[in-house]
């Protein structure tokens, strides 16, 4: 594809964001808007004995204090009732609270400060109940989060077991993929207003205006045409910003007080209410031969779903789908359970089940390599699915479309200077003295799944002035759709990128749409923009042929000249063509429906320095080779990878949403939840392979989550590699200084015990 695609076009979104700034829900000028603050449970499990809102209700400026008894709404709508319908979620706690942070009451006041003061004045009487926080205890079932359900298990699946006694090398380990908070820089925010005609307008910081519109229509018994959802600028999502109970309650509160209402959560609220991610425990068994051939792999997944089963209850299905990663393993088996606990419900977080699969298999491969005394790079090279095997069906039944896993590994090893790094590591270990750091090198070779079956709305219109307008159902929150979709239209029509306007995020402007998540936008939404623009171009050629009295087959685009020509000396402008159309404009909609998912892949290498005296880890290098098929906009792709690398490294080294045994969250703000910054990160080194997919005509795959999936196990493997010669076999994430320090001391103690004739 010649032209603008594949070039480093600057983001068109940035000048506004870097000068006047964005317009977020909290910035909207809503005349007379009141403010909503929720009273949230301070205990993890208790009966609601009583609630006294008299003081709060009497405060000047307070318009309403609302509890569950006041609501005339059904349960909060969920997408996963088909999996487990035994734990319906109320908008406000009804009779019982099940996690710290669960909304108990809503306070509406004329200003935010008054609403906060009034919420603190609401007195709630709790009768504590038994609490279950540990997922293994939840699996045992002596304490039930929802007694009426009779179980804490909300999802279960079992593959036939594997007989591992047949293999000469068998390695088993228990791994932990900790609970993390999504931490979008803009916490959840929404506003609602009712028009005099009974029509609802709802503004939201969301990843999908049309799905949100449909849910609001369902909750309030409205026709979809009677609900308008508008999405202004969105300060990050990472999978967490779909419809939330607090947000869906805003229209009810607006109707109750007879004026618009606005909800903007604080960081501390967000940490104990916005859906968390990951939260899996893995038991892995990997087996093979002493020559490094991996023959079988079994994974047991225990998913903490939190207090109510959202998408977190279903994440193990995605983990199972990708369990064998990039490796040609003959036998695979997954056993999975999702359990309810007295914690914040787990939702989708960048990668949603696929990073968990990659972390498990990549740690397992390193453990297998250690057991046979072989370099993990060699084991990977020996077992990767070969390029000629695609489309490749894994032992678990997933069919990958395309990939060059061996080439990605070779590129990352060559670029990083892997052989020299190993030589340096050996020399430093041989000459190590107290006070010096240890060098660690970690690898991961990953594959993930992006997109899904189905389509996405896109319309391209060329107006009489020669400018193009794109209506897209995708709803960006940092991805750069305004740039990428303009590039696609410019390529098809031969016009300047600046002559393309992209509109999104308003259900009155864009009639239909899905959501932005799962790395689906370019391969579904973008392809439909491409098709719509192609249809407009074809129609324009026909019109130009009439104007030029030429054969349509001889009419070609002239991107350099910005016009359509039928002969070297004869041409017409796009505005001439648009004006010649009887309808006054040329327009078309995309008609592409994806036949199925694509499978991006890549290889990452991390280099760390570990201080054995303190356990401190410094990430020195992170080299990433990512293959997302054809790269349309390299600058945008690199931005997505960079963000993912930062989040993946942060999970490996820093982040964990922690609870005590009573269900009290211990990390409720960014003072005690270590949020990664540039201080902790090196300059990333990124490279791209381009192995096109055959599942769309642009050959593109998703890239929004790739960095998160590949970097986490690479960094974790690097930490363990730095300590391997000390006898450390594994360090759970996050590899905090304390955890690394303890691993070193425990390994030293085990070695001393073995030296004294005790079991190692």
């Amino acid at each position: 594809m010649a032209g603008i695609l594949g070039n480093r076009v600057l983001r068109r979104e940035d000048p506004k964001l870097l000068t006047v700034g964005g317009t977020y829900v909290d910035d909207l000028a809503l005349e007379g808007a009141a403010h909503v603050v929720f009273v949230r449970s301070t205990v993890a499990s208790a009966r609601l004995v009583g609630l006294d809102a008299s003081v709060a209700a009497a405060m000047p400026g307070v318009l309403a204090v609302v509890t569950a008894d006041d609501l005339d709404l059904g349960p909060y709508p969920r997408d996963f009732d088909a999996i487990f319908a035994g734990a319906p979620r109320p908008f406000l706690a009804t009779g019982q609270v099940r996690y710290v942070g669960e909304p108990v009451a809503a306070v509406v006041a004329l200003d935010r400060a008054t609403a906060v003061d009034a919420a603190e004045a609401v007195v709630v009487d709790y009768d504590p109940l038994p609490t279950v926080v540990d997922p293994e205890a939840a699996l045992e079932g002596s304490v039930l989060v929802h007694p009426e359900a009779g179980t804490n298990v909300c999802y279960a699946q079992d593959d036939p077991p594997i007989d591992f006694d047949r293999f000469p090398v068998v390695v088993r380990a228990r791994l932990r993929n900790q609970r993390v908070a999504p931490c979008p820089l803009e916490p959840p925010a929404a506003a609602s207003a009712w028009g005099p005609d009974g029509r609802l307008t709802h503004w939201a910081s969301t990843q999908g205006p049309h799905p949100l519109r449909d849910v609001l229509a369902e909750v309030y018994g409205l026709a979809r045409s009677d609900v308008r959802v508008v999405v202004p600028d969105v300060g990050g999502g990472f999978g967490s910003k779909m419809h939330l109970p607090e947000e869906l309650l805003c229209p009810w509160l607006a109707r109750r007080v007879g004026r618009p209402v606005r909800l903007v959560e604080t960081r501390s609220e967000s940490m104990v209410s916005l859906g968390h991610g990951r939260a899996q425990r893995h038991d892995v068994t990997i087996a093979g031969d002493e020559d490094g051939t991996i023959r079988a792999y079994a994974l047991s997944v225990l998913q903490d779903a939190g207090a109510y089963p959202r998408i977190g209850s279903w994440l193990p299905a995605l983990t199972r789908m990708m369990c064998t990663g990039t490796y040609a393993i003959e036998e695979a088996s997954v056993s999975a359970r999702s359990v309810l606990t007295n914690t914040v419900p787990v939702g989708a977080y960048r990668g949603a089940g696929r990073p968990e699969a990659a972390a498990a298999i990549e740690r397992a491969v390193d453990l297998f390599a250690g057991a046979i005394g072989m370099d993990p790079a060699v084991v990977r090279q020996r077992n990767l699915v070969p390029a000629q095997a695609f489309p490749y069906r894994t032992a678990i039944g997933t069919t990958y479309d395309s990939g060059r896993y061996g080439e990605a590994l070779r590129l990352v090893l060559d670029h990083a200077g892997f052989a020299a790094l190993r030589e340096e590591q050996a020399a430093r270990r041989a000459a190590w003295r107290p006070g010096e750091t240890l060098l660690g090198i970690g690898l991961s070779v990953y594959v993930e799944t992006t997109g899904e079956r189905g389509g996405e709305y896109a319309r391209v219109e060329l107006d009489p002035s020669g400018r193009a307008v794109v209506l897209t159902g995708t709803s960006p929150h940092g991805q750069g759709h305004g740039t990428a979709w303009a590039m696609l239209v410019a390529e098809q029509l031969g016009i300047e990128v600046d002559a393309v306007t992209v509109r999104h995020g308003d259900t009155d402007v864009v009639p239909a749409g899905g959501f932005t998540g799962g790395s689906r936008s370019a391969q579904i939404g973008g392809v439909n923009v491409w098709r719509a623009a192609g249809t407009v171009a074809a129609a324009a050629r026909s019109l130009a042929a009439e104007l030029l009295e030429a054969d349509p087959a001889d009419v070609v685009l002239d991107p350099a000249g910005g016009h359509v020509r039928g002969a070297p000396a004869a041409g017409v402008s796009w505005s001439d063509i648009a004006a010649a159309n009887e309808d006054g404009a040329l327009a078309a909609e995309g008609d592409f429906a994806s036949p199925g998912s694509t499978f991006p892949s890549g290889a990452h290498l991390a280099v760390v320095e570990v201080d054995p005296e303190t356990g401190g880890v410094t990430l020195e290098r992170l080299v990433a080779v990512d293959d997302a098929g054809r790269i349309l906009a390299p600058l945008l792709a690199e931005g997505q990878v960079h963000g993912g690398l930062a989040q993946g490294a942060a999970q490996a080294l820093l982040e964990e949403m922690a609870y005590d045994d009573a269900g009290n969250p211990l990390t409720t703000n960014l003072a005690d939840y270590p949020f990664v910054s540039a201080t902790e990160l090196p300059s990333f080194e990124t490279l791209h392979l381009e192995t096109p997919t055959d599942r769309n005509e642009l050959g593109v795959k998703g890239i929004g989550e790739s960095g998160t999936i590949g970097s986490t196990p690479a960094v974790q493997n690097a930490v363990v590699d730095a300590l391997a010669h000390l006898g450390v076999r594994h360090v759970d994430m996050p590899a905090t200084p304390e955890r690394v320090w303890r691993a070193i001391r425990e390994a030293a103690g085990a070695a001393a015990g073995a030296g004294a004739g005790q079991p190692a």
Side-chain angles (χ1 to χ4, degrees):
M1 285 179 281
I4 195 169
L5 296 183
N7 289 299
R8 300 179 67 82
V9 176
L10 296 178
R11 279 170 43 103
R12 302 199 307 164
E13 296 86 348
D14 289 345
K16 170 194 166 188
L17 295 173
L18 294 172
T19 53
V20 299
T23 301
Y24 302 91
V25 170
D26 201 23
D27 301 321
L28 297 173
L30 303 176
E31 185 177 355
H35 295 265
V36 181
V37 170
F38 284 92
V39 179
R40 298 183 181 276
S41 175
T42 57
V43 296
S45 180
R47 294 186 186 89
L48 287 174
V49 177
L51 187 150
D52 184 358
S54 58
V55 173
M59 294 176 66
V62 172
L63 302 177
V65 180
V66 175
T67 68
D69 292 339
D70 301 310
L71 299 179
D72 54 0
L73 302 173
Y76 169 66
R78 296 190 294 106
D79 297 328
F80 294 92
D81 282 333
I83 295 175
F84 186 75
R89 183 177 187 176
F91 286 94
L92 296 172
T94 306
Q96 183 176 340
V97 293
R98 292 180 169 87
Y99 65 94
V100 172
E102 183 169 9
V104 174
V107 176
V108 186
L110 292 177
D111 60 80
R112 186 174 298 153
T114 299
V116 170
D117 290 343
E120 292 177 351
V122 175
V123 178
V124 184
D125 187 5
Y126 298 102
D127 180 17
L129 292 169
T131 301
V132 59
V133 175
D134 182 83
E136 292 185 10
L139 185 62
E140 186 270 330
S142 59
V143 175
L144 297 179
V145 178
H146 296 265
E148 65 278 11
T151 180
N152 287 324
V153 178
C154 55
Y155 175 85
Q157 183 174 7
D158 292 293
D159 293 328
I162 296 172
D163 176 14
F164 283 98
D165 292 338
R166 299 174 291 135
F167 304 106
V169 181
V170 180
V171 181
R172 293 181 172 86
R174 173 160 289 189
L175 313 175
R176 182 172 172 271
N177 206 293
Q178 78 273 27
R179 176 186 285 252
V180 295
C183 295
L185 291 183
E186 179 199 21
S192 295
W194 293 91
D197 57 355
R199 194 164 189 257
L200 171 65
T201 300
H202 184 82
W203 297 265
S205 178
T206 184
Q207 295 175 223
H210 295 88
L212 177 55
R213 176 201 63 187
D214 297 348
V215 171
L216 286 167
E218 175 189 347
V219 169
Y220 291 96
L222 300 171
R224 293 179 180 178
S225 59
D226 289 332
V227 180
R228 179 188 184 189
V229 172
V230 180
V231 181
D233 290 314
V234 175
F238 311 120
S240 66
K241 286 185 178 176
M242 304 307 283
H243 49 270
L244 306 171
E246 296 92 331
E247 172 185 17
L248 296 184
L249 198 55
C250 285
W252 194 96
L253 297 171
R255 190 158 55 189
R256 171 70 175 264
V257 300
R259 62 171 68 204
V261 301
R262 185 186 342 241
L263 165 69
V264 179
E265 291 187 0
T266 65
R267 176 63 56 193
S268 294
E269 281 185 288
S270 173
M271 296 293 283
V272 297
S273 61
L274 186 60
H276 294 159
R278 311 292 186 250
Q280 287 187 2
R281 297 187 185 180
H282 300 146
D283 286 300
V284 298
T285 305
I286 188 167
D289 301 329
E290 293 181 356
D291 67 355
T293 303
I294 301 171
R295 297 199 177 278
Y297 176 65
L299 174 64
S300 176
V301 180
L302 180 59
Q303 173 74 59
D304 184 350
Y308 296 98
R310 300 188 67 200
I311 192 174
S313 60
W314 184 69
L315 291 180
L318 292 172
T319 302
R320 176 185 180 274
M321 181 181 182
M322 304 307 301
C323 71
T324 57
T326 55
Y327 305 104
I329 301 175
E330 299 168 359
E331 296 182 64
S333 175
V334 175
S335 175
R337 297 290 183 275
S338 291
V339 293
L340 302 170
T341 62
N342 292 116
T343 60
V344 170
V346 171
Y349 172 63
R350 200 168 190 170
R354 293 103 76 197
E356 295 88 326
I361 186 64
E362 290 303 300
R363 279 300 300 133
V365 170
D366 265 35
L367 289 164
F368 180 79
I372 61 175
M374 187 175 288
D375 193 297
V378 176
V379 173
R380 285 177 169 83
Q381 289 168 330
R382 190 156 297 180
N383 290 280
L384 292 173
V385 176
Q388 64 271 21
F390 292 93
Y392 178 78
R393 181 179 172 86
T394 71
I396 212 71
T398 305
T399 300
Y400 301 160
D401 53 350
S402 63
R404 288 185 287 163
Y405 306 153
E407 179 69 5
L409 179 58
R410 184 192 65 77
L411 275 175
V412 81
L413 294 176
D414 289 349
H415 181 86
F418 181 73
L421 286 170
R422 281 292 190 221
E423 290 174 3
E424 179 187 353
Q425 182 184 57
R428 287 174 56 173
R429 285 177 176 176
W432 184 84
R433 296 291 184 271
E436 296 178 349
T437 58
L438 304 171
L439 179 68
I441 309 154
L443 284 169
S444 75
V445 186
Y446 75 91
V447 60
E448 66 144 331
T449 177
T450 63
E452 72 285 316
R453 294 183 185 276
E456 178 62 271
Y457 183 83
R459 174 183 170 88
V460 174
E461 179 177 307
L462 189 72
D463 67 25
S465 70
R467 295 186 58 86
V469 176
V470 179
L471 303 184
T472 175
T474 66
S475 184
H477 42 279
Q479 290 85 354
H481 295 176
T483 301
W485 296 178
M487 290 173 65
L488 289 167
V489 173
E491 179 84 4
Q492 286 279 43
L493 301 183
I495 61 178
E496 296 293 329
V497 169
D498 289 341
V500 182
T501 299
V502 178
R503 294 177 180 167
H504 59 81
D506 187 334
T507 59
D508 272 11
V509 174
V510 183
F515 67 99
T516 296
S519 300
R520 69 189 293 273
S521 294
Q523 59 191 305
I524 302 177
V527 170
N528 269 313
V529 170
W530 175 259
R531 282 199 176 187
T535 301
V536 169
R541 285 188 179 94
S542 296
L543 286 170
E546 294 179 11
L547 292 172
L548 296 168
E549 298 182 350
D551 187 329
D554 295 330
V555 175
V556 296
L557 300 179
D558 184 1
H563 59 257
V564 180
R565 59 182 174 82
V572 293
S573 70
W574 280 107
S575 57
D576 291 337
I577 295 170
N581 191 38
E582 293 181 359
D583 298 330
L586 289 169
E589 294 181 0
D591 59 358
F592 173 71
S594 171
S597 301
T598 61
F599 294 84
S601 57
H604 290 186
L605 184 146
V607 179
V608 302
E609 296 276 359
V610 179
D611 184 343
E613 296 301 316
T614 66
V617 178
T618 303
L619 180 59
E620 296 290 344
R621 293 180 69 187
L622 194 49
V623 184
V625 175
D626 295 290
D627 186 344
R630 194 178 303 279
I631 300 297
L632 305 177
L635 199 66
L636 296 179
E638 288 175 15
Q640 290 294 296
V641 171
H642 278 223
L645 294 175
Q647 286 181 285
Q651 183 186 356
L653 298 177
L654 300 171
E655 296 187 27
E656 180 175 12
M657 191 68 203
Y659 287 85
D660 67 15
D661 291 341
N664 296 306
L666 304 177
T667 47
T668 58
N669 54 54
L670 298 184
D672 44 33
Y673 185 92
F675 188 83
V676 74
S677 71
T679 304
E680 292 80 34
L681 298 171
S683 293
F684 300 135
E685 302 165 56
T686 58
L687 302 90
H688 291 286
L689 272 179
E690 294 190 39
T691 308
T693 181
D694 62 359
R695 296 185 181 175
N696 62 73
E697 60 218 60
L698 290 174
V700 298
K701 307 179 185 182
I703 200 167
E705 294 152 305
S706 296
T708 318
I709 294 168
S711 62
T712 306
V715 174
Q716 184 184 20
N717 284 340
V719 173
V720 179
D721 179 69
L723 311 176
H725 66 296
L726 303 178
V728 174
R729 183 169 174 263
H730 179 69
V731 179
D732 265 327
M733 297 187 294
T736 60
E738 179 184 359
R739 190 164 281 154
V740 172
W741 184 88
R742 289 188 182 279
I744 294 171
R745 269 59 189 173
E746 289 170 4
Q758 299 175 13

